[in-house]
Amino acid sequence: MLLATLGVAGLHWLTNRYDHAVGKQQLLAPAARQPRTDLSRGLNYLLIGSDHRPGANPEDQRSDSILIVHVPAGMRQAYLISIPRDLLVAIPAASGYGGGQDKVNAAYEHGGGGEAGARLLSATLGQLTGLRFDGAALVDFSGFKQVIDLLGGIRMCVDTEVRSIHTKTLFTPGCQQMDGTRTLDYVRQRYDLPGGDYDRQRHQQQMLRAVLDKAGETHLRNDPVQLDRVIRAVGGALTVDTNGVPLEDLLFALRSLPPDALHGVQVPSYPQNIGEVSYVVLDNGGNGLFDAVRDTRMPEWAGANPRWVNRL
């Protein structure tokens, strides 16, 4: 009984410390927000990776990564659905922006970046998919580098040789240990890759899987000092909107989600030039993907559409 009490107290302390470390904002637009989150019914979370660069204006930013994280009821598996950054969508009007057709990652910029940019992006995706989100998280990639470094780096498997357009680093095929800087440089690449942005999406999904794998290793759980550093680094890299659900309850609900239950999904789509501008457009309306998320039929959809499912 004493050990159980201490264990619960320790979990309370960690989640409370994390809760105070992470930033909180209203990232979801009212029309894109699930009125009430029920953790027993599964989750749909919007994950936005900001490509803020030193010296750039906060308003002049586009979302570098956009994922819908779908966790069916039971919390035993999760689908990482990557939204193509060049997907042609209708962006609703917002303060200072009249609305119109544009690439989906421009919604974050048109909204002014940060909290307001995330709200406009969520409204855009809600309108496109018919989904309402149970929460959202805005990830600062510069802070995420520290998380990877505190984990001791992660194992990434390079499948195609590519040279970074940012640092000129050459990534050669094979599985290798990468620190935070090298990892984020690699997962930002899309030029000179056979699948272009689709390969970039898959690499970002693989990075999330690798981070969860490393964070779940026994040595980290047995080292409270290092665990505390990782928790504070994660908190510093995240801004969240949990839709009123206590962060402790959310983490407790997801505690049984194993890393090997992650499935990477690409939105059925194809590139197309429109008015001399390169876009990505939905293939047959997304081939029923968003319907499957809304109706909690993702396992069936994934089985029927293996072309759009990534092995992580």
Side-chain angles (χ1 to χ4, degrees), residues 229-243:
R229 289 173 181 163
V230 172
I231 288 175
R232 285 189 285 117
V234 170
L238 281 181
T239 302
V240 300
D241 180 342
T242 63
N243 199 27

Side-chain angles (χ1 to χ4, degrees), residues 5 14 16 29 31 33 64 70 93-94 107 109 176 180 183 187 195 198 207 233 274 277 279 305:
T5 301
L14 283 174
N16 184 64
R33 184 183 297 276
D64 193 52
H70 174 62
E109 178 186 4
Q176 52 204 266
T183 299
V187 301
Y198 293 106
M207 176 188 70
I274 303 175
V277 178
Y279 292 98
N305 296 272

Side-chain angles (χ1 to χ4, degrees), residues 27-230:
L27 302 176
L28 293 173
R33 184 183 297 276
Q34 184 68 259
R36 181 178 179 182
T37 292
D38 183 348
L39 293 177
S40 67
R41 296 183 180 178
L43 296 169
N44 289 313
Y45 246 73
L46 176 60
L47 186 62
I48 307 167
S50 171
D51 65 346
H52 183 74
R53 303 292 197 275
N57 294 323
E59 295 80 10
D60 187 24
Q61 300 298 323
R62 296 202 172 197
S63 45
D64 193 52
S65 305
I66 307 169
L67 293 98
I68 296 173
V69 182
H70 174 62
V71 185
M75 308 290 179
R76 297 298 300 170
Q77 54 186 335
Y79 296 87
L80 308 179
I81 304 170
S82 291
I83 305 298
R85 59 186 291 169
D86 294 339
L87 185 66
L88 181 61
V89 296
I91 301 177
S95 177
Y97 174 66
Q101 298 279 321
D102 207 336
K103 297 180 179 182
V104 67
N105 71 331
Y108 185 73
E109 178 186 4
H110 290 315
E115 183 177 12
R119 284 200 296 268
L120 184 56
L121 178 56
S122 72
T124 301
L125 289 174
Q127 180 176 274
L128 174 73
T129 65
L131 295 172
R132 290 196 173 191
F133 298 101
D134 296 282
L138 185 61
V139 183
D140 174 9
F141 275 155
S142 62
F144 205 62
K145 288 190 293 188
Q146 184 186 8
V147 176
I148 295 175
D149 288 339
L150 285 170
L151 290 172
I154 58 175
R155 181 177 171 83
M156 292 288 292
C157 293
V158 178
D159 43 25
T160 303
E161 182 175 288
V162 62
R163 186 176 296 278
S164 168
I165 64 169
H166 305 112
T167 65
K168 307 306 178 185
T169 298
L170 180 65
F171 295 95
T172 56
C175 295
Q176 52 204 266
Q177 193 77 0
M178 294 188 186
D179 63 12
T181 298
R182 187 175 176 85
T183 299
L184 293 179
D185 187 19
Y186 174 62
V187 301
R188 280 188 173 121
Q189 305 310 312
R190 58 173 175 157
Y191 298 107
D192 297 327
L193 289 172
D197 190 53
Y198 293 106
D199 284 343
R200 185 186 67 90
Q201 295 169 29
R202 177 165 49 84
H203 296 159
Q204 290 177 346
Q205 293 170 352
Q206 289 170 339
M207 176 188 70
L208 292 175
R209 162 71 192 271
V211 168
L212 288 178
D213 279 344
K214 196 62 179 287
E217 290 181 356
T218 304
H219 75 83
L220 182 62
R221 297 197 300 268
N222 293 338
D223 187 343
V225 174
Q226 187 67 1
L227 179 59
D228 182 57
R229 289 173 181 163
V230 172

